[in-house]
Amino acid sequence: MARKANIAREEIHQACWLLLEQNSFPNIPRLAEHFLQQDGRRCSNTTLMNAIAKWEDTYKEYQQHQLKELNDVLGPVFKRFSREVTQQLGQLLDEKTTEIEQHQLRKQEATQSGYLSLSSALIELQTAHDTLTIECQKRTEEAENLKQKWGFSEQRYQEVMAQNAVLTSQIQQEQKDNSELRLNLAQKEVDLAKQDNQLALLKEENARLATELFDRQNTQRVDEDKKWQEMSKKLEEITHSVKTIQRKDRGSKQ
């Protein structure tokens, strides 16, 4: 548990410098937290506030001293830099002034010599203008010819596109007709296969009926032969009986 204790002003000042080194500017909460974590000591906010006020005065004096030392070090450097910059700017200004004066002088000389060569320049300019005019007319005629050729090509292109459209329509119709023909052919093939199957069944049925008829005819002939044999046997028996009776009759008459 934190204990109450008096903390010396020097200790508070040392803590302020320590917090400043840790990039934390001293205040009452930070100092109270510092001593609480260090050894658990606590003191009144008034004590901390008075110590911070004294330390801030010391810190201001320290800053002023640092600024003075920095000024003593950097002052000569800034002065030397200022002199060098001033000299360089003056030299650059002199060079630019001389350059401008020479440019104006060359401009005047060029103007004076320009009057002397103006006539020849105009002649050359007129010649160049005539040449350009002829070239322009030539290019215009070529452009007109190209325009006409392009018109013919465009017309031919439209005709070809129309023909292609007609051919495309015909091809599509033929493809449609071919598709229908293929479907009809496939259906005919299916129907033909069915007919072949039915024909095979009919042939099988015909063969079966022919066999059955042949068997029946054979059976009927066998039955008829058997009946004829029985009838012949009975006829023979009757004939034999008749003959026997006749012999008996002739025997009794004698």
Side-chain angles (χ1 to χ4, degrees):
M1 184 175 179
R3 57 190 177 87
K4 290 283 186 176
N6 291 326
I7 302 175
R9 180 178 297 176
E10 290 76 9
E11 290 182 287
I12 297 175
H13 289 176
Q14 290 178 359
C16 290
W17 289 112
L18 181 61
L19 289 174
L20 189 64
E21 291 177 357
Q22 296 174 356
N23 296 323
S24 296
F25 195 81
N27 57 21
I28 294 175
R30 290 173 181 169
L31 288 172
E33 182 68 20
H34 170 76
F35 286 109
L36 185 63
Q37 291 181 357
Q38 182 178 1
D39 50 17
R41 290 184 297 167
R42 298 177 61 184
C43 66
S44 64
N45 292 336
T46 303
T47 301
L48 293 175
M49 182 177 64
N50 293 332
I52 291 173
K54 290 293 184 180
W55 176 83
E56 287 179 350
D57 294 336
T58 304
Y59 180 66
K60 289 179 181 179
E61 293 177 358
Y62 171 76
Q63 283 184 323
Q64 291 176 357
H65 179 70
Q66 291 290 327
L67 290 174
K68 183 177 181 303
E69 290 182 352
L70 185 63
N71 187 34
D72 293 339
V73 174
L74 296 179
V77 177
F78 286 149
K79 290 180 181 179
R80 184 172 62 255
F81 177 75
S82 178
R83 288 196 301 270
E84 292 177 355
V85 170
T86 302
Q87 291 176 358
Q88 291 178 359
L89 288 176
Q91 183 179 357
L92 182 61
L93 182 60
D94 293 339
E95 292 176 355
K96 288 295 181 181
T97 302
T98 303
E99 182 179 352
I100 292 172
E101 291 176 352
Q102 292 178 356
H103 177 71
Q104 291 294 333
L105 181 61
R106 288 194 298 270
K107 186 176 180 181
Q108 291 177 358
E109 292 176 353
T111 302
Q112 292 176 358
S113 62
Y115 287 114
L116 299 176
S117 59
L118 181 60
S119 298
S120 59
L122 288 175
I123 294 173
E124 293 178 357
L125 182 61
Q126 184 64 38
T127 303
H129 178 267
D130 295 339
T131 303
L132 289 175
T133 301
I134 296 172
E135 185 68 21
C136 181
Q137 292 176 353
K138 182 179 179 181
R139 297 300 180 186
T140 302
E141 293 176 357
E142 292 178 354
E144 186 65 25
N145 293 330
L146 290 175
K147 184 177 180 180
Q148 292 179 358
K149 291 180 180 179
W150 182 83
F152 294 148
S153 299
E154 180 68 18
Q155 182 179 0
R156 180 57 181 166
Y157 173 76
Q158 295 297 333
E159 292 175 355
V160 171
M161 290 297 294
Q163 292 177 357
N164 288 337
V166 174
L167 292 175
T168 301
S169 178
Q170 292 177 355
I171 291 173
Q172 291 176 352
Q173 184 62 38
E174 290 178 357
Q175 290 177 348
K176 182 179 179 181
D177 295 340
N178 289 334
S179 298
E180 293 178 355
L181 289 175
R182 283 195 295 269
L183 291 175
N184 293 333
L185 179 60
Q187 186 62 39
K188 294 296 183 182
E189 290 177 350
V190 172
D191 295 339
L192 183 60
K194 290 181 179 179
Q195 291 177 0
D196 291 340
N197 189 19
Q198 292 177 356
L199 181 60
L201 293 175
L202 290 174
K203 287 181 178 179
E204 291 179 359
E205 182 67 17
N206 189 20
R208 186 184 65 79
L209 292 175
T211 302
E212 185 178 353
L213 178 61
F214 180 75
D215 293 339
R216 287 183 179 181
Q217 289 177 351
N218 289 335
T219 302
Q220 187 176 1
R221 281 196 297 269
V222 171
D223 293 339
E224 289 178 353
D225 291 341
K226 186 176 180 181
K227 288 179 180 180
W228 278 108
Q229 290 176 2
E230 290 178 354
M231 290 177 64
S232 297
K233 184 177 180 181
K234 288 181 179 180
L235 182 59
E236 289 177 356
E237 290 176 353
I238 292 171
T239 302
H240 180 69
S241 297
V242 171
K243 288 180 178 181
T244 301
I245 292 171
Q246 288 178 352
R247 283 196 300 269
K248 288 180 178 182
D249 288 340
R250 285 195 298 269
S252 61
K253 288 179 179 183
Q254 292 177 359

